Amino acid sequence: MEDTGLKLGKYEFNSRLFVGTGKYQTFDIMKDALEASGAEVITVAVRRANIGGKPGESLLDYIDKDKYTILPNTAGCYSADEAVRTALLAREMGISDLIKLEVLGDENTLLPDPVGTLQATETLVKEGFTVLVYTSDDPIIAKRLQDAGATSVMPAGAPIGSGQGILNPNNIRIILETLSVPIIVDAGVGTASDVTVAMELGCEGVLLNTGIAQAKDPVKMARAMKLACESGRLAYLSGRIPKKLYANASSPLKDF
């Protein structure tokens, strides 16, 4: 299969790895890790953007806005109304009409509130946003979000920041079979092999933050994530061999 760029509404990207900006020890390390990741889309919590602050005090001062597309997110919002207000603020600040929507339901698990997420998606789509929506790996709510107009549905591989990888690949497979919008795994990725698994399943991309930011060497891990994303996508496009119960010799005697 021929590969093409990742299309999200009016936007198109070559890199399928989306990288966050939280939890780094310093902004300089973050800047170097973003470069090593090869990502074109960088997600930023609106509440951390600090627009209007003094030079050097804003997270955005360390992100080359000519090089990266900034994806504002509604991290920390626990109601549909709060998430919608945060998204509108991001657009008023001139960041983007792209939005990564998060409506959380619980402070301990950081799992999404399915009802609030659906309500916020419907509202933001009507407001003209390109909505990339964080959700659980439930295929039913994923379909509802697509029907509500989400540009991309982003099921969690595992709880946010847990590093557990793709806990339920079967649900991800069902979502991929059921939906037509791009599916981007968001949350729970801990290392490069987790990214490869998501991409080999057929996901259009992976969004991660903690797996890079809290690695012992974030810059090296960022490069590993980049390569894993590329190799997983290539493997998916190549078409793997079927799994078999018994051996199958590479050079069968009967062929000689």
Side-chain angles (χ1 to χ4, degrees):
M1 291 186 288
E2 293 291 333
D3 201 7
T4 57
L6 172 58
K7 294 182 179 180
L8 297 171
K10 65 182 180 182
Y11 300 90
E12 185 169 353
F13 306 103
N14 293 315
S15 173
R16 295 174 179 273
L17 184 67
F18 293 29
V19 179
T21 52
K23 301 182 180 179
Y24 286 92
Q25 290 185 352
T26 69
F27 284 145
D28 287 325
I29 293 175
M30 178 198 75
K31 184 178 179 181
D32 291 342
L34 297 183
E35 175 71 25
S37 74
E40 296 173 66
V41 180
I42 307 301
T43 185
V44 175
V46 176
R47 295 179 177 185
R48 298 182 63 232
N50 191 27
I51 297 296
K54 296 180 181 180
E57 293 184 346
S58 171
L59 169 65
L60 295 180
D61 292 335
Y62 291 83
I63 300 174
D64 185 347
K65 290 177 278 294
D66 293 327
K67 180 176 182 180
Y68 301 111
T69 295
I70 296 176
L71 173 61
N73 69 61
T74 63
C77 293
Y78 285 85
S79 72
D81 288 344
E82 186 180 14
V84 168
R85 287 197 302 270
T86 302
L88 290 170
L89 175 61
R91 188 164 66 181
E92 288 296 318
M93 292 161 61
I95 300 178
S96 180
D97 63 350
L98 275 170
I99 192 72
K100 182 201 168 190
L101 175 62
E102 296 181 22
V103 182
L104 302 178
D106 178 79
E107 291 185 2
N108 292 319
T109 65
L110 298 181
L111 291 172
D113 175 351
V115 176
T117 300
L118 183 58
Q119 291 173 342
T121 299
E122 292 170 342
T123 300
L124 291 174
V125 169
K126 291 177 182 177
E127 290 286 345
F129 282 88
T130 301
V131 181
L132 285 60
V133 56
Y134 164 68
T135 182
S136 67
D137 60 6
D138 178 2
I140 304 302
I141 189 63
K143 181 64 164 56
R144 294 283 182 88
L145 293 168
Q146 174 181 270
D147 293 345
T151 299
S152 173
V153 174
M154 308 176 75
I160 292 174
S162 68
Q164 297 182 63
I166 312 300
L167 292 181
N168 196 341
N170 289 334
N171 271 24
I172 301 294
R173 287 191 178 99
I174 293 171
I175 291 172
L176 287 164
E177 290 178 2
T178 307
L179 274 61
S180 58
V181 298
I183 305 303
I184 299 173
V185 164
D186 176 16
V189 171
T191 190
S193 58
D194 300 332
V195 175
T196 302
V197 168
M199 297 306 294
E200 287 182 349
L201 286 172
C203 295
E204 293 278 3
V206 174
L207 190 152
L208 62 94
N209 179 72
T210 307
I212 292 176
Q214 294 197 331
K216 291 182 178 179
D217 189 329
V219 177
K220 285 183 179 178
M221 183 61 80
R223 184 166 181 266
M225 297 294 196
K226 171 182 182 291
L227 296 173
C229 188
E230 293 174 353
S231 66
R233 179 66 177 175
L234 186 59
Y236 167 72
L237 294 172
S238 301
R240 63 158 293 145
I241 63 171
K243 295 181 179 180
K244 298 180 179 180
L245 181 61
Y246 297 103
N248 186 8
S250 298
S251 301
L253 293 176
K254 65 179 181 181
D255 291 342
F256 289 98

